[in-house]
Amino acid sequence: MKVSLSWLKRYVDIDVSVEELCNRMTMSGFEVEGVENLADTMSRVVVARILKMEKHPDADKLTVCQMDVGEAEPIQIITGADNIFEGALVPAALHDSHLPNGTHITKGKLRGLPSYGMMCSGEELCLKEADYPGAEVHGILILQGDWAPGTDMREVLNLNDVIIDFSILSNRPDCNSVLGIAREVAVVLGKPFCPPKPEYQTVGGDVHDHISVRVEDYDLCPRYLGRVVKNLRIGPSPDWMKQCLKGCGVRSINNIVDITNFVMLETGQPMHAFDLNHIKGSQIIVRRAADGEPMTTLDGKDHTLTSEMLVIADAQSPSCLAGIMGGLDSEIEDTTRDLFLESAKFRRDNVRRTARSLGMRTESSARFEKGVDIMGSAFAMERALQLIHELDCGDIIEGVIDCNAGLPERRVLTVTTASICDLLGVQVPEEEIVRILQSLEIETVLADGVLTCTIPSFRDDIESRADLAEEVMRIYGYEHIVSTPIRGVITRGRRLPERIHGDTLKKLLCAAGVREISTYSFISAKALDQLGLAEDDSRRQVVSLLNPLGEEYAVLRTQLATSMLTVLATNASRKIPAARFFELSKLFQPYELPVTRQPDEVPALSLGFYGPEEDFFTLKGVVEQIFDRFQLPVSYTRSTEPYLHPGRQAAAMAAGCDEPVAVFGEVHPTVAARFGLEGRVYLAELKLRPLFEAAEKIRTFYRPLPKYPASVRDLSLLADATLPAAEIEKAIASAIPNVLEKVELFDLYQGKQVPEGKKSISYSMTLRASDRTLTVEECDHAVSRVMKALEKIGVTLRQ
């Protein structure tokens, strides 16, 4: 919020330096982002009177002027301008002067004659017509009025001012106004706050004779006020108002428009003025727009509205986008004679959504989005009418239209002074607490150590004891907080188990040549379509953000595949020949939709590989390393993940888990193409809770060497081609669990020597007992048991 020091001084007596004021405001919670001293923009530029003019003897287009610049003797300045005349007052930049555009002026010679400065145009002084009459005329700026030669041009242009830029926190919308900042300045300086007291005269009549107002949607517009002003006298604004607006970066237009802008900046309440004669049917209707309803705004842009947007309409069509911008037909022009003045409160979230949907951002919408005081709407209206009366801009009709659904009662908080001091850890005297709160316009009554505080309507952020304590402390001064040593038992901190296991996992993966990536937890809602997930897939139950950064970050992700594929695609597009990445993050699974509580945050791991040396088994090897490191026994089976190749994917199942703890395989070519990936890409996603739970159990890293020798038996089997190898291995292990040490697949064949629909698959079984050497009969018996178990799943010995 940019505020000029001279504007602040209208409401509070500031008798300290700008530096001290900024320091005090910063310590009270209003950080100063910048200070601009307008006087620093130019130096040694003064008012000069042209005493005598002569043609340059050696240049037809140059004029030699003798100038009175307030010094003992006139000085000579040579110019090529043709709009000057003897006796004219002009701005003159003297030797060693600086202009606002950065130009440094020094004395010199023009065609052999000395020139001790330069006469300035409005452009060279960075002025517009609204800043000074004649500023945009081609040639030298001719000054108006009877200024004494030598007068500093900063005084003429009212540049002896300081602009202070305050950072306003989102919980203090009341300070998005000059009065709000002035109120805080008065508190920190201990000075009286003197806001304007609106007074004006009306010319009689009744506002209801000229217009009617109907609010159809009080949920979006809790309060709407209107007044009528007749017989407008539109013209330029006074200089003091122009300077105030310019200091805040607002261009002067005319007295009526300037008054609405001035009141918005002064009070924080945006206002809008309608040409009364352009309001069809002499009625204002505050309503939701119809879907597809068109409207052209003041900036000349056409918009198509939706039923979620609030408009101010007349009997035929919308005249204004509520809280954002007026319509082109309602614009105040030089020919406007009667106006309808609006002051209202609109719901902040509706204004924000409408402005974002239409791509519009205005000073008005910015204030409504942060929130305006529902009671302040009436004060702003009164203030605007006061200025219309003082500047003689029109005749004010008697009566006010005030449509509301009931005005809120002021909030009352009851707390003890002791509880405030306990919360702060500082003993603040009771009378000082009362003084501070009352200076902030919080009506406070103290009785037996109990404070009864009535909160003003513009301080909607004060809701509890903590808020009152904060107000006391920031004004009392943070320097009163004394550092004290920690008391009590000091415990040693440690990382959470999940963090410890996550670090272990990262070390393992980095050792396997996999690089870590980190991506946003927000993804596009369309990303799930790229994966080809079914409509009833549980991963489509996503949490949508109310205020997303954009379409690409609209929902919380329930899978990591899309983020990994996006990163792989980015690297591939930049000609990176091979990559191995992992991401350790969380999935957000809602318990129900719409969301009524925080979603379940499921820790997960994503792996993504591509390159000439990568295949299904290199990915499977890394996955197996992870399970071995955390000693989580798993079995592998087929999976049906839609974004993976149907014949090159697998799932890892753990005991006690209904769902796979890992799914991995080659990415389906169609899915890869959707992400712009060529060639084979491999992906894995692991749920980490079973891993971390296994890590909490007692782990065995040492096993003694066997005392007795092992026996090895090989089996060549004939099985259905569709039977997973994992099923065969599971049958073997269940048949002889006490003596089977290891089973390894060493051959797989399908061809002419094998019947159609069958496959030859060979295993090596290592048999060993821990307490004896197995006999030949025991080994044969074990093989016999294995074959009986295999026959149950349709597997026979190959003949």
Side-chain angles (χ1 to χ4, degrees):
M1 176 70 188
K2 291 185 177 181
V3 183
S4 75
L5 188 62
S6 62
W7 199 349
L8 285 176
K9 288 181 177 180
R10 289 173 171 268
Y11 317 118
V12 58
D13 178 22
I14 300 175
D15 56 0
V16 298
S17 66
V18 174
E19 182 179 4
E20 184 176 352
L21 173 63
C22 293
N23 288 338
R24 291 199 192 183
M25 289 295 289
T26 299
M27 290 306 296
S28 71
F30 291 88
E31 182 181 357
V32 175
E33 294 187 335
V35 177
E36 179 186 4
N37 193 333
L38 298 181
D40 294 339
T41 59
M42 71 170 72
S43 64
R44 289 182 56 77
V45 181
V46 300
V47 175
R49 186 182 298 278
I50 302 176
L51 301 177
K52 185 178 179 181
M53 297 171 53
E54 295 179 344
K55 287 292 184 183
H56 193 290
D58 297 327
D60 293 338
K61 294 185 179 181
L62 295 181
T63 303
V64 181
C65 302
Q66 303 302 318
M67 315 285 296
D68 180 2
V69 295
E71 298 179 358
E73 297 291 335
I75 66 171
Q76 179 171 286
I77 294 179
I78 301 175
T79 181
D82 57 5
N83 68 322
I84 56 175
F85 53 90
E86 290 185 358
L89 291 174
V90 298
L94 306 179
H95 170 64
D96 196 25
S97 60
H98 291 84
L99 301 184
N101 61 8
T103 304
H104 182 208
I105 304 299
T106 58
K107 62 184 179 181
K109 287 187 177 182
L110 290 176
R111 293 293 183 95
L113 295 181
S115 180
Y116 294 93
M118 182 185 79
M119 285 180 267
C120 303
S121 66
E123 181 181 2
E124 289 162 336
L125 296 179
C126 298
L127 299 175
K128 300 293 184 183
E129 191 68 27
D131 300 324
Y132 197 92
E136 295 183 0
V137 173
H138 179 71
I140 301 301
L141 175 63
I142 306 300
L143 301 179
Q144 300 178 359
D146 188 18
W147 297 97
T151 303
D152 196 317
M153 277 299 298
R154 291 175 293 193
E155 180 181 346
V156 176
L157 300 174
N158 293 315
L159 293 181
N160 293 314
D161 199 358
V162 177
I163 306 300
I164 306 175
D165 190 1
F166 292 99
S167 174
I168 309 301
L169 300 178
S170 59
N171 68 321
R172 292 301 305 273
D174 60 298
C175 289
N176 280 309
S177 64
V178 178
L179 285 176
I181 294 294
R183 184 185 293 110
E184 292 292 328
V185 169
V187 173
V188 299
L189 296 183
K191 300 286 187 177
F193 174 51
C194 303
K197 297 180 180 179
E199 294 179 354
Y200 56 88
Q201 294 179 358
T202 63
V203 295
D206 187 350
V207 65
H208 297 90
D209 294 336
H210 300 276
I211 196 166
S212 64
V213 176
R214 184 174 79 251
V215 177
E216 294 183 354
D217 297 288
Y218 280 113
D219 58 325
L220 302 184
C221 177
R223 191 178 192 186
Y224 190 93
L225 294 102
R227 295 293 296 263
V228 170
V229 180
K230 304 282 285 184
N231 305 320
L232 294 184
R233 294 174 282 279
I234 295 178
S237 298
D239 290 341
W240 65 266
M241 182 173 285
K242 290 181 180 179
Q243 289 304 121
C244 288
L245 295 175
K246 182 181 178 181
C248 292
V250 177
R251 180 174 60 92
S252 174
I253 298 175
N254 60 52
N255 49 8
I256 295 297
V257 176
D258 289 355
I259 285 173
T260 60
N261 287 333
F262 181 88
V263 172
M264 177 184 69
L265 295 171
E266 183 184 54
T267 68
Q269 169 69 53
M271 303 187 70
H272 189 68
F274 298 83
D275 188 326
L276 184 62
N277 296 320
H278 288 171
I279 299 176
K280 306 296 190 301
S282 297
Q283 58 178 316
I284 288 288
I285 305 171
V286 184
R287 61 171 174 84
R288 282 178 165 87
D291 283 323
E293 190 168 19
M295 180 180 175
T296 303
T297 47
L298 279 172
D299 55 3
K301 295 182 179 179
D302 296 327
H303 301 280
T304 301
L305 311 182
T306 69
S307 59
E308 295 181 354
M309 300 174 182
L310 188 70
V311 295
I312 314 300
D314 57 23
Q316 295 183 7
S317 60
S319 297
C320 178
L321 273 172
I324 301 174
M325 186 179 290
L328 190 62
D329 293 339
S330 66
E331 183 179 11
I332 298 297
E333 302 172 336
D334 291 342
T335 57
T336 301
R337 289 295 169 260
D338 306 317
L339 73 79
F340 173 72
L341 196 60
E342 162 197 289
S343 180
K345 176 176 174 62
F346 303 113
R347 205 170 80 185
R348 65 180 75 180
D349 59 335
N350 181 261
V351 174
R352 181 178 64 249
R353 284 196 296 267
T354 301
R356 179 168 294 167
S357 175
L358 298 178
M360 303 176 71
R361 179 75 174 180
T362 64
E363 287 284 344
S364 176
S365 68
R367 284 169 169 78
F368 277 118
E369 287 177 25
K370 293 179 175 66
V372 299
D373 177 18
I374 192 171
M375 307 303 292
S377 301
F379 175 81
M381 176 66 79
E382 296 294 293
R383 177 62 169 151
L385 295 176
Q386 178 191 23
L387 292 171
I388 289 174
H389 173 71
E390 289 182 354
L391 303 183
D392 193 26
C393 301
D395 300 330
I396 304 169
I397 301 302
E398 185 69 36
V400 58
I401 297 174
D402 188 351
C403 300
N404 62 78
L407 301 178
E409 297 289 335
R410 294 175 63 181
R411 184 182 297 117
V412 178
L413 300 177
T414 302
V415 299
T416 64
T417 56
S419 66
I420 287 181
C421 294
D422 289 344
L423 186 61
L424 295 175
V426 176
Q427 293 302 312
V428 184
E430 288 185 342
E431 59 276 9
E432 183 65 10
I433 294 176
V434 174
R435 184 196 68 79
I436 290 172
L437 294 178
Q438 288 182 339
S439 69
L440 292 167
E441 298 189 22
I442 300 173
E443 297 178 9
T444 305
V445 177
L446 174 63
D448 298 328
V450 177
L451 297 170
T452 302
C453 304
T454 303
I455 312 302
S457 60
F458 60 82
R459 290 304 305 271
D460 195 47
D461 59 306
I462 300 179
E463 299 178 335
S464 65
R465 172 181 66 122
D467 298 320
L468 289 172
E470 180 185 3
E471 293 301 301
V472 170
M473 196 66 241
R474 72 182 183 88
I475 303 301
Y476 187 59
Y478 295 111
E479 66 275 8
H480 290 93
I481 299 176
V482 179
S483 299
T484 56
I486 297 176
R487 296 190 298 271
V489 179
I490 300 177
T491 59
R492 295 180 61 186
R494 66 186 295 269
R495 292 177 297 167
L496 294 173
E498 184 176 318
R499 179 70 179 273
I500 295 172
H501 301 324
D503 290 346
T504 300
L505 190 56
K506 290 180 180 181
K507 290 177 183 178
L508 171 67
L509 291 169
C510 288
V514 191
R515 296 174 181 267
E516 184 177 10
I517 64 171
S518 181
T519 61
Y520 284 118
S521 296
F522 312 132
I523 62 171
S524 169
K526 299 178 181 178
L528 299 171
D529 296 330
Q530 291 180 287
L531 292 182
L533 300 183
E535 290 298 324
D536 59 350
D537 195 300
S538 60
R539 286 168 291 188
R540 286 189 176 273
Q541 303 300 310
V542 295
V543 177
S544 300
L545 302 182
L546 292 176
N547 188 21
L549 297 173
E551 254 187 56
E552 295 181 356
Y553 310 101
V555 300
L556 288 172
R557 61 186 175 188
T558 55
Q559 43 71 38
L560 300 178
T562 53
S563 300
M564 179 60 73
L565 287 170
T566 301
V567 173
L568 293 175
T570 300
N571 281 268
S573 68
R574 294 174 181 172
K575 309 302 180 184
I576 306 299
R580 281 186 166 196
F581 294 133
F582 78 90
E583 180 176 17
L584 193 63
S585 187
K586 290 185 178 180
L587 309 179
F588 299 87
Q589 298 177 347
Y591 293 100
E592 66 280 311
L593 291 176
V595 174
T596 59
R597 51 178 168 160
Q598 289 289 94
D600 185 19
E601 298 184 17
V602 181
L605 171 71
S606 176
L607 298 171
F609 294 4
Y610 75 83
E613 297 182 359
E614 305 294 351
D615 59 21
F616 174 86
F617 295 102
T618 60
L619 177 64
K620 182 173 182 285
V622 174
V623 173
E624 288 178 331
Q625 285 185 54
I626 294 172
F627 290 130
D628 290 344
R629 175 64 181 81
F630 286 86
Q631 295 193 6
L632 179 66
V634 297
S635 60
Y636 297 97
T637 184
R638 290 184 178 179
S639 67
T640 56
E641 197 63 66
Y643 62 84
L644 296 179
H645 192 293
R648 298 170 189 157
Q649 60 173 297
M653 304 296 297
C657 295
D658 297 331
E659 297 181 350
V661 293
V663 176
F664 57 93
E666 181 182 325
V667 177
H668 197 290
T670 302
V671 175
R674 289 173 185 158
F675 285 86
L677 285 162
E678 299 177 356
R680 295 188 173 184
V681 182
Y682 303 91
L683 216 60
E685 187 171 299
L686 290 78
K687 302 290 179 63
L688 297 181
R689 278 179 181 162
L691 272 183
F692 294 167
E693 289 170 2
E696 293 299 314
K697 301 175 182 178
I698 298 176
R699 291 172 290 176
T700 304
F701 293 106
Y702 166 75
R703 182 177 297 170
L705 293 174
K707 294 180 180 181
Y708 303 97
S711 296
V712 179
R713 297 294 177 94
D714 294 342
L715 293 176
S716 291
L717 307 171
L718 195 64
D720 290 338
T722 58
L723 183 66
E727 291 292 324
I728 299 175
E729 294 173 8
K730 182 179 179 181
I732 294 173
S734 62
I736 51 174
N738 295 329
V739 296
L740 183 66
E741 184 176 273
K742 182 171 60 174
V743 58
E744 287 184 330
L745 171 68
F746 67 86
D747 184 64
L748 176 65
Y749 175 74
Q750 285 180 277
K752 295 181 180 180
Q753 291 81 11
V754 178
E756 187 176 353
K758 298 288 185 177
K759 63 182 175 183
S760 172
I761 186 166
S762 300
Y763 285 96
S764 175
M765 298 187 302
T766 302
L767 309 178
R768 193 194 307 266
S770 60
D771 57 349
R772 68 190 186 283
T773 300
L774 293 175
T775 64
V776 173
E777 291 76 11
E778 288 177 319
C779 292
D780 290 343
H781 180 67
V783 172
S784 177
R785 292 178 61 184
V786 167
M787 290 310 304
K788 288 181 180 179
L790 291 174
E791 287 172 0
K792 293 180 181 179
I793 59 173
V795 179
T796 60
L797 278 173
R798 182 181 175 186
Q799 302 299 324

